[in-house]
């Protein structure tokens, strides 16, 4: 018992130190960016490949650079990428299974069932197709970052051996995002390795808590809804005038009672939409004898506020 009492505190201290070495602060905003990025990438790859594509964000891990690189598949196509305004490189990694699936679909091999392949290096054509896939992906990633930390990504060179990646000091903090991509019955993973030292200039933004709302990503539905609202019919009401009348007077109304609104012939009227004032107008007549209104003043300042008010009604 005495021996156990002497060794147990030492074991606890070593465990605390060991865990502290691999404890890194989470980056909530970065996780949201990759979550939205996964949604938009599905549509981008569907257009790029001409095939139904599903993208799932498997995980966002916080670990050391050494562990992140050690966990990468070998061989794999590694695109070392520079980000404008950032302090260092990052890497986009494509598993062989995903690369070969893209090649088969690109060259019309949809009917060929997927099969196991022997480990080998990549040909020049395979590297070029993989680089093109990375470029399309990075363009969409830049759009996902646009409302958080705007940047542009450019591939500097390709590597096939993960041990050749020099992204940062081995013990420095790193983020690894893993995405699973499925298309035409084939699947593979794409990984993003982002050393904390590389995005240090925007770390204060990526570390903020996300409280909800609109954030980059897929704006297709928003744009479509905006376009449809522009062709939506709404009812406009011309409000000639208003007055307050005591209830006892209203109860005394009879047929032929005249109400005095105190209006003059040239007084403007107010146009309302869903009970919200939108404009003032002057009353006139057209040549065909119909009453017409000439707009003279706009009463709202925010187009989106008006549209939202109409939808709420």
């Amino acid at each position: 018992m005495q021996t156990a009492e002497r060794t147990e505190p030492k074991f606890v201290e070593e465990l605390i130190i060991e865990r502290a070495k691999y404890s890194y602060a989470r980056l909530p905003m970065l996780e949201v960016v990759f979550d939205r990025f996964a949604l938009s990438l599905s549509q981008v790859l569907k257009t790029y490949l001409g095939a139904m594509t599903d993208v799932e964000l498997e995980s966002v891990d916080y670990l050391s650079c050494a562990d992140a690189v050690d966990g990468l598949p070998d061989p794999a196509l590694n695109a070392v990428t520079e980000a404008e305004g950032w302090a260092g490189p990052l890497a986009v990694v494509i598993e062989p299974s995903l690369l070969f699936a893209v090649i088969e679909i690109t060259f019309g091999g949809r009917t060929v069932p997927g099969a196991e392949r022997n480990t080998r290096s990549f040909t020049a054509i395979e590297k070029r197709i993989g680089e093109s896939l990375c470029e399309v992906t990075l363009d969409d990633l830049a759009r996902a970052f646009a409302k958080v930390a705007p940047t542009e990504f450019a591939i500097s060179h390709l590597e096939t051996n993960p041990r050749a990646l020099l992204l940062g000091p081995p013990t420095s903090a790193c983020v690894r995002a893993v995405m699973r991509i499925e298309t035409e019955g084939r699947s593979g993973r794409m990984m993003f390795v982002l050393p904390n030292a590389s995005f240090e200039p925007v770390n204060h933004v990526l570390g903020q808590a996300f409280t909800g709302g609109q954030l980059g990503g897929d704006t297709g539905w928003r744009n479509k809804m905006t376009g449809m609202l522009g062709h939506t019919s709404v009812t406009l009401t011309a409000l000639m005038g208003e007055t307050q009348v005591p209830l006892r007077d209203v109860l005394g109304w009879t047929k032929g009672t005249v109400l005095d609104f105190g209006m003059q012939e040239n007084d403007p009227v107010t146009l309302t939409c869903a009970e919200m004032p939108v404009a003032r107008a002057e009353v006139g007549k057209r040549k065909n004898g119909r009453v017409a209104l000439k707009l003279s003043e706009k009463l709202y300042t925010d187009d989106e506020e008006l549209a939202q008010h109409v939808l709420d009604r």
Side-chain angles (χ1 to χ4, degrees):
M1 291 296 295
Q2 293 180 352
T3 304
E5 291 177 357
R6 284 195 298 268
T7 58
E8 185 175 352
K10 181 179 179 181
F11 173 76
V12 173
E13 291 173 0
E14 291 177 350
L15 184 61
I16 293 174
I17 294 173
E18 186 67 20
R19 289 185 177 179
K21 289 170 56 181
Y22 299 101
S23 178
Y24 303 107
R26 289 181 58 247
L27 301 169
M29 193 64 72
L30 181 63
E31 294 178 10
V32 172
V33 168
F34 270 100
D35 188 55
R36 302 293 176 91
F37 169 53
L39 295 176
S40 63
L41 186 60
S42 297
Q43 183 61 40
V44 170
L45 293 183
K46 176 185 176 183
T47 303
Y48 176 72
L49 298 175
M52 291 301 298
T53 305
D54 182 60
V55 180
E56 176 189 358
L57 179 61
E58 279 194 351
S59 63
V60 177
D61 303 316
Y62 300 88
L63 62 175
S64 66
C65 280
D67 290 339
V69 172
D70 289 342
L72 298 178
D74 184 15
L77 189 64
N78 307 290
V80 180
T81 306
E82 300 291 339
E84 182 181 349
W86 289 16
L90 58 124
V92 182
V93 182
I94 302 177
E95 278 188 341
S97 58
L98 176 60
L99 177 59
F100 291 133
V102 170
I103 292 173
E104 288 175 354
I105 294 173
T106 302
F107 289 97
R110 292 180 175 83
T111 59
V112 179
E116 294 293 333
R117 295 178 175 82
N118 296 327
T119 301
R120 62 173 177 81
S121 59
F122 303 110
T123 65
I125 294 178
E126 291 168 347
K127 290 181 180 179
R128 184 64 191 92
I129 294 175
E131 183 178 7
S132 176
L133 175 63
C134 288
E135 289 172 348
V136 171
T137 302
L138 289 170
D139 286 344
D140 192 47
L141 181 60
R143 287 190 289 271
F145 271 103
K147 290 192 175 183
V148 177
T151 185
E152 295 292 335
F153 299 102
I155 298 175
S156 60
H157 63 279
L158 300 176
E159 297 284 356
T160 57
N161 188 339
R163 290 187 294 273
L165 294 176
L166 301 175
L167 303 177
T171 58
S172 61
C174 181
V175 180
R176 183 180 63 195
V178 181
M179 292 185 174
R180 176 164 293 278
I181 301 175
E182 296 186 4
T183 178
E184 293 288 341
R186 299 166 173 81
S187 65
R189 296 187 302 170
M190 178 179 288
M191 285 156 277
F192 300 83
V193 182
L194 299 87
N196 285 32
S198 295
F199 57 78
E200 180 63 29
V202 295
N203 186 71
H204 63 289
V205 177
L206 301 180
Q208 294 178 2
F210 180 64
T211 57
Q214 177 70 18
L215 175 65
D218 184 12
T219 58
W221 282 109
R222 181 181 179 87
N223 294 335
K224 185 176 181 179
M225 182 64 72
T226 302
M228 293 178 67
L229 284 175
H231 299 283
T232 301
S233 297
V234 295
T235 301
L236 290 178
T237 302
L239 182 63
M240 306 295 292
E242 291 181 299
T243 187
Q244 292 184 351
V245 180
L247 180 58
R248 61 175 178 271
D249 293 348
V250 175
L251 295 176
W253 286 352
T254 60
K255 185 177 180 179
T257 299
V258 177
L259 302 179
D260 183 8
F261 283 84
M263 294 181 60
Q264 301 297 322
E265 182 179 357
N266 296 327
D267 285 351
V269 301
T270 303
L271 288 179
T272 65
C273 180
E275 300 183 4
M276 178 178 177
V278 295
R280 297 201 187 281
E282 299 175 0
V283 182
K285 282 189 177 182
R286 298 177 62 87
K287 292 182 179 180
N288 58 10
R290 293 184 177 180
V291 176
L293 297 177
K294 180 180 179 181
L295 299 182
S296 59
E297 182 184 357
K298 180 179 175 182
L299 299 180
Y300 66 94
T301 57
D302 192 336
D303 295 348
E304 289 192 4
E305 180 184 353
L306 174 61
Q308 185 62 50
H309 178 78
V310 173
L311 288 176
D312 292 341
R313 298 293 297 184

